[in-house]
DNA sequence: TATTGACTTGGAGCTAACTCTAAAATGGTA
DNA sequence: TACCATTTTAGAGTTAGCTCCAAGTCAATA
């Protein structure tokens, strides 16, 4: 596969593909006779895996370490496992954090919903704008 | 409250606190007679809220927009609600993504666990190292 | 054979989000 | 009164993670 094909297939820019290879985030890709990259399915799996992990917030640094361990062979299996266990721990923490933030967003949306309903009621039934100091404070929660 | 107190309490550097204020990520903080920031509880709530949202991945840009809307008063309630609904949607997507990545990490950890057990078995029961081409491939999954 | 287009490399440039620096003001302590 | 810590500002510097550029190679086509 050419870099153009892989780039389109995995939706990663050619520059990023080259960059990832350069810094050791994916193993070196073979070149054809004319020196151009010729990606295998294996290469694609690596790239896709890296993309997935990056998307979840694993740093490039830690992923480079993983690739380096992988390339050193079987003696690093335990180290790789430990690396993933640590990253898993951090990922779980991030997810928990985000869930809490989501609840907070939900709450704010609910309050705004309420505020709008209240405002509409006021406008519809009393034809009078709410006093600046009263109702307005209601809308101004954080 | 002084900037030192708030910095320690919310675990945000003084530089970051000043930076957030400068770019409009939090409303302007009052100064005392000598020109130093004097944070109120309200200010702290803002900062804590912003910190929480930033931690979940909302960009500074979108949060600045929120603060700007907030400061324009009640006429922007609907817009603020819409902003939060959009961010909520994106946050849910990020969480789902991360959950999938977590499963993938779990799977890899399980495989490594397996690999190690297999390796130990081999070493213990047969006293023979696995052939490079066979079992080694097992460990080398991505 | 000249041109075109995809590819190569090393290195420079960019953006978001801080983080640091320098120079100056203030207020409390020896 | 001299010193010291804390704070102020504007602006420069840093880091991660790309993204762009220039100069050159190569293969295919007009």
């Amino acid at each position: 596969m050419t870099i153009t094909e892989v780039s389109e297939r995995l939706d990663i820019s050619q520059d990023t593909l080259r960059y990832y290879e350069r810094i050791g985030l994916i193993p070196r890709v073979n070149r054809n006779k004319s020196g151009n990259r010729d990606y295998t399915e294996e290469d694609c799996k690596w790239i896709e895996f890296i993309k997935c992990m990056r998307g979840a917030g694993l740093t490039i640094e830690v992923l480079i370490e993983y690739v380096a361990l992988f390339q050193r062979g079987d003696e690093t299996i335990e180290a790789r496992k430990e690396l993933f266990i640590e990253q898993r721990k951090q990922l779980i923490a991030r997810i928990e954090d985000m869930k809490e933030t989501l609840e907070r967003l939900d709450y704010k949306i609910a309050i705004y919903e309420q505020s709008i309903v209240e405002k509409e009621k006021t406008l519809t039934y009393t034809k009078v704008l709410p006093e600046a100091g009263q109702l307005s404070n209601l809308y101004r929660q954080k």
Side-chain angles (χ1 to χ4, degrees), chain A:
Chain A
M1 258 166 287
T2 66
I3 197 165
T4 304
E5 284 162 355
V6 174
S7 167
E8 282 164 9
R9 173 168 159 189
L10 300 181
D11 196 30
I12 300 179
S13 80
Q14 299 188 16
D15 274 315
T16 301
L17 287 173
R18 292 194 197 97
Y19 168 70
Y20 279 1
E21 186 179 341
R22 187 161 21 151
I23 64 175
L25 191 45
I26 53 167
R28 184 177 163 83
V29 174
N30 272 346
R31 314 295 146 117
N32 61 19
K33 335 85 216 156
S34 44
N36 294 4
R37 287 171 182 79
D38 186 12
Y39 292 86
T40 64
E41 275 302 323
E42 274 293 288
D43 292 327
C44 285
K45 279 182 197 155
W46 264 108
I47 297 162
E48 195 274 324
F49 173 72
I50 292 295
K51 187 190 178 187
C52 177
M53 294 299 140
R54 287 286 302 122
L58 278 72
T59 62
I60 281 186
E61 190 185 11
V62 80
L63 290 169
I64 286 176
E65 194 192 334
Y66 167 65
V67 174
L69 285 172
F70 178 84
Q71 292 183 317
R72 276 177 44 206
D74 293 354
E75 66 180 306
T76 66
I77 287 174
E78 182 65 29
R80 283 181 256 162
K81 193 186 115 189
E82 291 309 319
L83 182 149
F84 280 141
I85 286 172
E86 171 60 26
Q87 294 306 308
R88 177 180 180 277
K89 208 183 87 189
Q90 293 185 22
L91 184 50
I92 288 169
R94 278 201 295 277
I95 291 171
E96 279 316 304
D97 247 51
M98 289 168 83
K99 279 187 186 166
E100 278 172 36
T101 304
L102 179 60
E103 275 177 33
R104 217 159 150 173
L105 267 184
D106 282 340
Y107 178 72
K108 286 188 85 66
I109 290 166
I111 297 280
Y112 275 126
E113 202 90 51
Q114 193 59 33
S115 300
I116 290 158
V117 171
E118 290 300 320
K119 200 174 184 182
E120 275 165 4
K121 263 195 206 152
T122 310
L123 292 171
T124 310
Y125 295 122
T126 72
K127 304 284 183 194
V128 165
L129 286 164
E131 291 184 43
Q134 308 276 114
L135 209 47
S136 295
N137 272 338
L138 223 171
Y139 306 156
R140 270 202 214 94
Q141 32 63 45
K142 258 181 267 39

